[in-house]
């Protein structure tokens, strides 16, 4: 593009100012809204990538934990932020898209109000018990839960969070009545599981991994088709007696809809560079998570996933009559 090719003054101004914005961006710290408490998987993934973005783009990426209402407080705040690239959003896709179905007052559209940048990590959920829970495996756990309806409590990051929805599905599929205890993030919930005041969680590997080697918590099954290489002794749910119970969390980064295209492109390029960084890859993989594979590692891949998860979970919430309590 040069001046001769620019016939319409307004168009010229916007093209050249967009290019200038992208060239300079970011000229000040960027706020990263995370809708759960510090120490949980969304927060940890946001910090790992935030450090990479800060190093690459030369400005701090400052995490703001806006917890509440299973993550919808953060989604609402992000949807209303100025679309200038100085506020971006990192969320778990499931609670982000489930929010409006569970909280009718949550005024945001998970698709239209956001601009996909990229998926940070996929992490399978584990069924994980407090260390002295009286069941050695999933079959014994289900038998015990059937004999003790309403007596087993599980922690989550709040009504509508992925850790809540995963245990709702577990209850439905295993035919057991387990009791929900909402927290502001899975970080604080895990502390209570370690302390033994909670019985169990349907937690992401990224959250509980650090507590497994010391025996502080006991994962009894991974809710996906394959075992995870870092925990080879933990069976899949199919192997452990509950085939079909598969739940994977996806943590993703979005800009706010309306952010200038050149700024979005710079964020997308930085995300692509992050995927290639061996140190970042190792940090994510050491936390029982995977980076997105081909087709998932683009904004279009994230856009398609966000849309299909919204349809799938809204339907599950309606069918299961799940309520935000
Ligand atoms: C969830 O949806 O359960 C979250 O990922 C929890 C968290 O990040 O703390």
């Amino acid at each position: 593009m040069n001046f001769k090719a620019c016939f319409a003054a307004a168009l010229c101004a916007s093209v050249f100012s967009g290019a200038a914005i992208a060239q300079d961006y970011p000229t000040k710290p960027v706020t990263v809204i995370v809708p759960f408490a510090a120490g949980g998987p969304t927060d940890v993934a946001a910090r790992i990538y935030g450090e990479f973005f800060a190093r690459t783009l030369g400005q701090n990426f400052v995490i703001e934990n806006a917890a509440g209402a299973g993550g919808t407080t953060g989604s609402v705040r992000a949807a209303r932020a100025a679309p200038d690239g100085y506020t971006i959003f990192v969320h778990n896709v499931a609670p982000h898209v489930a929010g409006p179905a569970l909280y009718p007052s949550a005024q945001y559209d998970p698709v239209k109000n956001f601009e996909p940048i990229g998926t940070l990590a996929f992490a399978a959920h584990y069924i994980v018990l407090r260390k002295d829970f009286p069941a050695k495996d999933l079959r014994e756990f289900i038998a015990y839960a059937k004999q003790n309806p309403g007596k087993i409590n599980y922690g989550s990051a709040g009504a509508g969070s992925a850790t809540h929805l995963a245990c709702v599905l577990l209850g439905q599929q295993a035919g057991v009545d387990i009791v929900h205890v909402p927290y502001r993030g899975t970080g604080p919930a895990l502390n209570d599981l370690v302390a033994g005041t909670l019985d169990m969680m349907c937690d992401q590997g990224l959250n509980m991994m650090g507590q497994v080697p010391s025996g502080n918590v006991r994962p009894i099954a991974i809710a996906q088709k394959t075992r995870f290489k870092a925990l080879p002794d933990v069976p899949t749910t199919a192997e452990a007696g509950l085939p079909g119970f598969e739940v994977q969390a996806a943590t993703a980064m979005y800009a706010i809809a309306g952010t200038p295209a050149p700024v979005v492109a710079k964020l997308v390029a930085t995300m692509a560079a992050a995927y290639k960084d061996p140190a970042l890859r190792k940090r994510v993989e050491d936390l029982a998570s995977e980076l997105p594979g081909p087709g998932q590692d683009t904004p279009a891949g994230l856009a398609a996933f966000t849309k299909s998860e919204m349809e799938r979970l809204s339907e599950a919430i309606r069918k299961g009559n799940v309520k935000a309590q």
Side-chain angles (χ1 to χ4, degrees):
M1 175 75 62
N2 60 35
F3 282 103
K4 276 189 190 153
C6 259
F7 297 114
L11 174 67
C12 280
S14 83
V15 168
F16 283 105
S17 72
I21 290 168
Q23 206 172 26
D24 295 347
Y25 173 84
T27 56
K28 59 180 183 178
V30 175
T31 297
V32 184
I33 295 182
V34 170
F36 292 111
T42 313
D43 178 76
V44 170
R47 284 175 201 273
I48 291 174
Y49 278 81
E51 282 170 25
F52 183 89
F53 273 60
R55 240 187 354 264
T56 308
L57 297 176
Q59 285 290 343
N60 282 336
F61 277 62
V62 182
I63 307 293
E64 182 186 309
N65 298 96
T72 42
T73 302
S75 289
V76 171
R77 186 177 303 187
R80 291 186 187 153
D84 56 7
Y86 289 95
T87 301
I88 58 174
F89 185 47
V90 170
H91 202 349
N92 183 325
V93 174
H96 178 52
V97 299
L102 278 168
Y103 297 87
S105 62
Q107 297 294 311
Y108 73 95
D109 185 312
V111 172
K112 290 194 188 129
N113 295 153
F114 297 89
E115 184 74 51
I117 302 297
T119 305
L120 277 51
F122 289 101
H125 283 253
Y126 285 82
I127 301 171
V128 56
L129 307 179
R130 66 175 153 83
K131 56 177 179 290
D132 50 358
F133 191 93
K136 73 171 183 317
D137 57 26
L138 184 58
R139 284 186 183 83
E140 281 190 18
F141 170 78
I142 292 173
Y144 182 91
K146 285 191 170 155
Q147 283 156 16
N148 295 279
K151 299 265 171 60
I152 296 173
N153 63 24
Y154 68 91
S156 87
S161 64
T163 31
H164 174 215
L165 297 174
C167 269
V168 166
L169 290 172
L170 172 67
Q172 288 172 357
Q173 291 186 23
V176 296
D177 172 16
I178 50 180
V179 179
H180 181 212
V181 184
Y183 287 76
R184 290 170 75 77
T186 44
L190 183 71
N191 292 340
D192 278 1
L193 186 66
V194 170
T197 44
L198 282 177
D199 292 316
M200 64 161 303
M201 288 176 69
C202 296
D203 201 7
Q204 283 181 56
L206 203 151
N207 195 41
M208 53 103 215
M209 194 65 184
Q211 297 292 346
V212 178
S214 49
N216 284 338
V217 297
R218 225 159 24 91
I220 52 168
I222 180 168
Q224 65 176 15
K225 285 196 171 53
T226 51
R227 293 186 180 205
F228 185 68
K229 59 180 181 233
L231 293 178
D233 297 337
V234 179
T236 65
T237 36
E239 291 168 336
L242 193 60
F245 179 64
E246 288 167 19
V247 194
Q248 223 190 16
T251 308
M253 182 187 288
Y254 302 87
I256 315 308
T259 300
V263 171
V264 170
K266 203 162 192 178
L267 291 167
V268 170
T270 308
M271 184 64 81
Y275 294 152
K276 294 198 183 110
D277 183 68
L280 180 139
R281 292 191 75 87
K282 182 167 178 349
R283 280 181 81 186
V284 172
E285 286 166 2
D286 283 352
L287 290 166
S289 302
E290 285 168 16
L291 281 100
Q296 300 168 317
D297 58 353
T298 58
L302 173 57
F305 182 72
T306 305
K307 201 161 169 289
S308 67
E309 280 293 275
M310 184 152 104
E311 283 155 11
R312 187 174 78 92
L313 290 172
S314 309
E315 179 72 356
I317 288 165
R318 210 175 36 249
K319 274 199 184 143
N321 196 23
V322 180
K323 301 264 183 255
Q325 67 218 27

